[in-house]
Amino acid sequence: KAAAGDTEGAIVALKKTLEVGPLHTEALLSAAQISLQEKKTDEALSLLVRAYQSDRSRSDILLSVASLQAGELKDAKAATETLEYAVGTNPNYLEGRYALATLYAAAGKYEDAANLLVGVTKIDEKTTETLTPIIEKLRAGQNPFGATEGNTSQATTTPAN
């Protein structure tokens, strides 16, 4: 067990955990976080993918993958594909729908973004009041999220009120 503030000790303990259980989801997620802090983006991405493979019910992991792809790796196409998969396998995953709608809007796919958000309002009627003006802007050909095709770092955040 590592002492508080002992990063190296924590990394050693984490590696031992992964040796015993290479598909231990929480250990993989912790290792990915450490890799990100150390600016090891490719390693973090690999660990996140392994974490998802160890627990395919965790759509939130795919959101983390897409966030890394869109932000650090500046690969909006890969992020979009990841979120399309996440939403396709779990249509009720609202955070994934929000993030995918934001990426669609950044790519100029306003109608696709609007349709995703309409789906959110059908899943969670409490969102209708907040999302209706956003949907209207999208249908008018406007990007209410502020991210542009060249700037997708904001594209995996949920829309503001």
Side-chain angles (χ1 to χ4, degrees):
K1 187 172 179 176
D6 180 12
T7 306
E8 287 301 314
I11 292 170
V12 169
L14 193 55
K15 286 181 179 179
K16 285 182 183 178
T17 300
L18 289 174
E19 286 172 11
V20 174
L23 294 180
H24 188 281
T25 305
E26 295 307 317
L28 289 164
L29 292 173
S30 295
Q33 186 64 37
I34 291 168
S35 294
L36 281 175
Q37 290 171 352
E38 295 177 345
K39 307 289 188 219
K40 297 178 181 175
T41 307
D42 291 334
E43 182 178 299
L45 182 61
S46 175
L47 289 163
L48 286 170
V49 169
R50 285 177 54 199
Y52 177 71
Q53 290 169 340
S54 75
D55 186 354
R56 292 184 182 270
S57 70
R58 297 275 310 267
S59 297
D60 61 305
I61 297 172
L62 291 176
L63 182 61
S64 295
V65 169
S67 180
L68 185 59
Q69 290 167 325
E72 295 290 322
L73 299 175
K74 308 250 184 281
D75 190 346
K77 183 176 187 256
T80 299
E81 290 170 357
T82 298
L83 289 171
E84 286 172 340
Y85 177 80
V87 170
T89 57
N90 183 359
N92 292 329
Y93 182 46
L94 299 182
E95 292 85 358
R97 283 179 171 268
Y98 287 129
L100 183 56
T102 307
L103 284 172
Y104 280 165
K109 298 179 179 180
Y110 301 119
E111 194 60 33
D112 290 339
N115 291 337
L116 275 170
L117 296 180
V118 167
V120 169
T121 65
K122 289 179 180 176
I123 295 166
D124 183 359
E125 292 180 9
K126 294 179 285 188
T127 63
T128 302
E129 186 178 331
T130 301
L131 292 181
T132 297
I134 294 171
I135 293 166
E136 289 170 357
K137 285 182 180 180
L138 288 165
R139 292 221 160 112
Q142 300 171 4
N143 183 351
F145 304 109
T148 61
E149 194 167 351
N151 176 19
T152 55
S153 62
Q154 299 173 344
T156 53
T157 60
T158 54
N161 289 339

